[in-house]
Amino acid sequence: MMTKDPFEQSDMVFLYVTVPDMEVARVIAGGAVRERFAACANILPQMVAVYEWDDDIEEENEMIVILKTRSSVAKDLAGWIADHHPYEVPCILEIPLGRGNAPYVNWLRNQVNKAKAPK
């Protein structure tokens, strides 16, 4: 008897977002999960960004927030992030996930699908 493939194609994506500090990271991560735009968020607490801005090479400490969501919700989530982000030009990038562990992917999908609880 054939069993269902536990590592199957998914409709989930990551949104990769850089932020200046933990306060902003928590606003983005917590708000996105609370609003059901994302099932889960990971905050990676330390990196150095090197980039050109206004003809100068800049070097800043930043953090990364990775938000796990459905591809169909990513555009709305990106808009929500932009509305709550302090940068003039925030880094918000969608990364398709492809295949994933079916039980975990189903949990992610269900978290994003849940209706927001009334306040």
Side-chain angles (χ1 to χ4, degrees), residues 17-80:
V17 181
T18 58
V19 296
D21 55 41
M22 185 58 79
E23 181 180 345
V24 174
R26 289 176 194 256
V27 167
I28 298 294
V33 171
R34 190 171 26 264
E35 296 294 326
R36 301 285 185 203
F37 285 121
C40 177
N42 299 115
I43 298 171
L44 305 175
Q46 184 64 41
M47 74 169 186
V48 176
V50 179
Y51 57 94
E52 183 180 342
W53 190 259
D54 292 332
D55 296 324
D56 286 326
I57 300 300
E58 303 287 338
E59 190 172 301
E60 299 288 338
N61 290 325
E62 287 188 313
M63 297 182 169
I64 300 166
V65 179
I66 298 172
L67 298 153
K68 301 167 190 175
T69 192
R70 297 177 73 111
S71 60
S72 61
V73 177
K75 187 174 180 180
D76 289 337
L77 175 54
W80 185 90

Side-chain angles (χ1 to χ4, degrees), residues 2-16:
M2 227 39 188
T3 59
K4 188 174 179 182
D5 183 2
F7 197 65
E8 61 187 33
Q9 198 63 30
S10 96
D11 60 341
M12 303 304 291
V13 297
F14 284 165
L15 286 194
Y16 171 97

